[in-house]
Each structure stands twice: as C-alpha cells, then as structure tokens.
Amino acid sequence: QVQLVESGGGLVQAGGSLRLSCAASGRTFSSYAMGWFRQTPGKEREFVAAISRMGGSLYYADSVKGRFSIARDSAKNTVYLQMNSLKPEDTAVYYCAATSSPFLEGLVTTRSVYTGWGQGTQVTVSS
C-alpha cells in the first residue's frame, strides 16, 4: 500500500495562506487519484479536495471552492493543497489520501474508497 506523509501545517491569522504537501513513497504515485480531508475534534472527517491520476480533473468541497487549490507533481511524488483566504473554521487536522477508484464525484468525496492515508498535519487559523 502507498505510504503518505503530510507536512506544512501551522498557525496563521485569518486571511492568511498555507501550502500543505503530501509526499508518497514508491513508484506507483501516478496510479492513484489523491484527496485531502480534514477533521476537527468530535466531528467526522470531511472531504476537502481531490485530483485525478494525471492531474487533469479537480474537485473541491463547496466550503473551500475559490480559496483552496490542489495540484500534483509526478516527478516529486507529491500532492499539494494551497490554502488561501483562510478562515477560523478551516482549523483542523488535514489528511491526504490515495485511491485507485474512478474519478467520479460520488467516489472521490467518500472516505471509504481511499486505501492509503497520511498521519495528518495540524492547521490552526486564528481570528
């Protein structure tokens, strides 16, 4: 199974920006569509963004559309989440995940289709 490690989290003020990275091990990175999820204490892990195997298709949760962008670099086996105009409600632990499922909205937004998960990185946005 693919191994994933997130980094780039931290503390920022509302309106600021952060860039999260997710590094994948092995040589099968291009075989997976990648997603970002986030979770706060006492709440379910929720979908944030996803990108297809070749990076040609993107999907975002309504709550982050227009503020966040997802990208991947096959040469570095890395997927990124650029977060702009951050709000306090964006505060969460952010996780990256990999799936071999077809890139369809009903699949890539669902936690159960992802077969590999990173350990998470904390993002805190102050008022």
Side-chain angles (χ1 to χ4, degrees), residues 77-92:
N77 283 357
T78 300
V79 63
Y80 303 95
L81 184 68
Q82 178 66 48
M83 305 185 294
N84 300 322
S85 301
L86 283 162
K87 305 174 181 179
E89 52 262 44
D90 295 318
T91 295

Side-chain angles (χ1 to χ4, degrees), residues 14-36:
S17 298
L18 281 175
R19 184 178 177 85
L20 305 184
S21 298
C22 175
S25 64
R27 61 182 185 272
T28 60
F29 177 68
S30 62
S31 298
Y32 298 93
M34 301 294 295
W36 285 95

